[in-house]
């Protein structure tokens, strides 16, 4: 593995291997001193051209837990505002000495472009509405921890699928790991050709709700136009929100996941988000472990167990 850009093309064995490594890093993160020296002397740069709370801090925490140093690029206070190009920005940061770049960018494909400009590993922290591969890994890890395996599970991905890189990466990862995935959204929030997903499609959440072992709730991505395609947020919530009422109709062994950031009261009711069967903060914790697994794969280093 030279870069980590996409879930597409990864096999069940590839994914299980990364999740097995992540399990070991979960154990490291539970130690009194949650740190190993594996990447001492390496530097990881986080370059987030789009807002982020979880992904950026999680990559930084993961790098530090492996004893790497981190550098952080913030577009708002950078020379982008003076007209510096993406390529010059990347080459500038590379010249300071970085061993890997974690990139989030609003344009689909930006991390692939960067991977052509530098020889160091590039990790995709989310590109446009395309891919968010470490999100898919952390979600798969959370489900695997809870159920033991994804094989044969029924997983519903509900919400703004058209604008979601998470939906795409997750559907690919869950399907590769043997789950039966259903994408649930109004027609206006599905891609033009929903057959791009290895998944069934439903426009009626109430019809399919009780089948699911996992309900994966997506945010309505207003900044990508997601809120403009239905009459009001209240109408969206009435048909697609994971409300207390709908939660009560779920299979009692099912779990609810959300990648964050949540819009409480829109796609998920607060009481559902705070229920013990909503594993949203476990997802966040697991994010650090899967990012350690990916950084460790890409940057090598001695594994001290
Ligand atoms: C997501 C993203 O940015 O793709 N968040 C995340 O990384 N956990 C989802 C979103 O913004 O809705």
């Amino acid at each position: 593995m030279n870069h980590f850009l996409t879930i597409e093309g990864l096999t069940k064995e590839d994914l299980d291997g990364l999740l097995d490594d992540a399990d070991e890093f979960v154990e490291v993160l539970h130690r009194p001193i949650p740190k190993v020296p594996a990447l001492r002397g390496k530097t990881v740069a986080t370059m987030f051209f789009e807002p982020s709370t979880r992904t950026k801090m999680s990559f930084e925490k993961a790098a530090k837990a492996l004893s790497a140093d981190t550098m952080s690029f913030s577009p708002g206070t950078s020379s982008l505002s003076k007209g510096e190009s993406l390529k010059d920005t990347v080459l500038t940061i590379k010249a300071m000495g970085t061993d890997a770049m974690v990139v989030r960018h609003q344009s689909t494909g930006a991390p692939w472009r960067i991977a052509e400009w530098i020889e160091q590993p590039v990790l995709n922290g989310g590109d446009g509405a395309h891919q968010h591969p470490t999100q898919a890994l952390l979600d798969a890890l959370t489900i695997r921890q809870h159920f033991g395996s994804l094989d044969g599970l029924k997983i519903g991905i509900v919400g703004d699928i058209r604008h979601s890189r998470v939906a795409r990466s997750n559907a690919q990862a869950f399907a590769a790991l043997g789950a039966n995935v259903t994408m649930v959204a109004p027609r206006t929030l599905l891609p033009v050709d929903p057959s791009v997903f290895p998944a069934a499609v439903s426009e009626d959440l109430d019809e399919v709700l009780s089948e699911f072992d996992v309900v994966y709730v997506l945010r309505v991505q207003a900044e990508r136009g997601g809120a403009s395609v239905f009459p009001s947020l209240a109408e969206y919530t009435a048909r697609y929100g994971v409300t207390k009422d709908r939660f009560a109709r779920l299979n009692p062994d099912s779990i609810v996941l959300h990648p964050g950031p949540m819009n409480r009261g829109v796609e998920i009711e607060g009481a559902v988000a705070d229920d013990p069967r909503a594993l949203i903060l476990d997802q966040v914790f697991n994010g650090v472990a899967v990012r350690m697994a990916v950084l460790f794969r890409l940057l090598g280093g001695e594994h001290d167990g």
Side-chain angles (χ1 to χ4, degrees):
M1 212 161 71
N2 298 326
H3 302 286
F4 191 64
L5 299 173
T6 179
I7 293 293
E8 196 164 356
L10 295 183
T11 64
K12 176 169 170 29
E13 290 65 39
D14 297 331
L15 292 166
D16 272 328
L18 284 164
L19 297 181
D20 291 344
D21 289 358
D23 274 337
E24 291 189 41
F25 288 121
V26 165
E27 185 271 311
V28 168
L29 291 170
H30 280 123
R31 290 180 192 169
I33 299 176
K35 200 169 169 106
V36 287
L39 299 187
R40 203 160 45 196
K42 306 276 189 197
T43 300
V44 176
T46 52
M47 304 177 53
F48 280 62
F49 295 86
E50 258 192 7
S52 170
T53 298
R54 274 151 289 271
T55 308
K56 181 166 183 281
M57 292 188 76
S58 174
F59 265 112
E60 290 171 357
K61 165 83 185 177
K64 287 174 176 158
L66 293 165
S67 302
D69 296 315
T70 58
M71 291 160 70
S72 170
F73 168 82
S74 305
T77 53
S78 76
S79 290
L80 281 183
S81 60
K82 300 179 185 172
E84 191 163 36
S85 72
L86 176 63
K87 186 170 184 180
D88 285 331
T89 303
V90 164
L91 295 180
T92 298
I93 293 166
K94 179 197 144 167
M96 293 175 201
T98 68
D99 297 289
M101 286 189 187
V102 182
V103 179
R104 168 170 289 184
H105 202 280
Q106 56 280 9
S107 298
T108 293
W112 277 258
R113 276 307 266 149
I114 293 172
E116 290 167 10
W117 298 330
I118 64 170
E119 55 281 6
Q120 289 82 1
V122 177
L123 296 88
N124 187 354
D127 67 315
H130 183 217
Q131 281 281 333
H132 193 349
T134 56
Q135 180 71 42
L137 286 183
L138 73 89
D139 292 325
L141 183 66
T142 307
I143 298 169
R144 202 177 81 157
Q145 281 172 351
H146 189 84
F147 290 103
S149 157
L150 276 73
D151 204 25
L153 289 183
K154 293 199 164 70
I155 303 181
I157 301 181
V158 184
D160 186 355
I161 289 162
R162 180 192 285 257
H163 300 102
S164 176
R165 51 195 172 214
V166 176
R168 187 173 298 261
S169 290
N170 283 24
Q172 290 169 348
F174 296 165
L177 289 165
N180 298 310
V181 184
T182 304
M183 313 305 258
V184 188
R187 190 78 201 102
T188 47
L189 289 182
L190 286 167
V192 179
D193 176 11
S195 73
V196 295
F197 294 110
V201 175
S202 169
E203 292 179 44
D204 188 345
L205 178 59
D206 289 315
E207 191 177 81
V208 290
L209 190 64
S210 61
E211 296 171 8
F212 296 138
D213 301 298
V214 180
V215 179
Y216 194 99
V217 190
L218 293 170
R219 183 173 67 90
V220 175
Q221 304 215 2
E223 78 278 19
R224 298 190 209 279
S228 61
V229 295
F230 40 81
S232 68
L233 286 179
E235 180 137 337
Y236 177 85
T237 307
R239 291 196 53 203
Y240 294 97
V242 180
T243 56
K244 254 166 50 182
D245 275 2
R246 290 200 171 97
F247 185 69
R249 281 188 274 133
L250 286 176
N251 158 2
D253 297 323
S254 64
I255 58 170
V256 174
L257 303 181
H258 191 304
M262 286 187 274
N263 288 319
R264 286 174 181 254
V266 181
E267 74 273 5
I268 188 166
E269 196 169 328
V272 176
D274 296 332
D275 190 277
R277 276 163 55 209
L279 305 185
I280 297 163
L281 295 176
D282 297 276
Q283 292 171 265
V284 174
F285 177 81
N286 285 332
V288 179
V290 299
R291 290 172 178 124
M292 288 173 79
V294 174
L295 284 168
F296 184 74
R297 277 288 174 99
L298 291 172
L299 292 176
E302 292 305 310
H303 198 338
D304 81 338

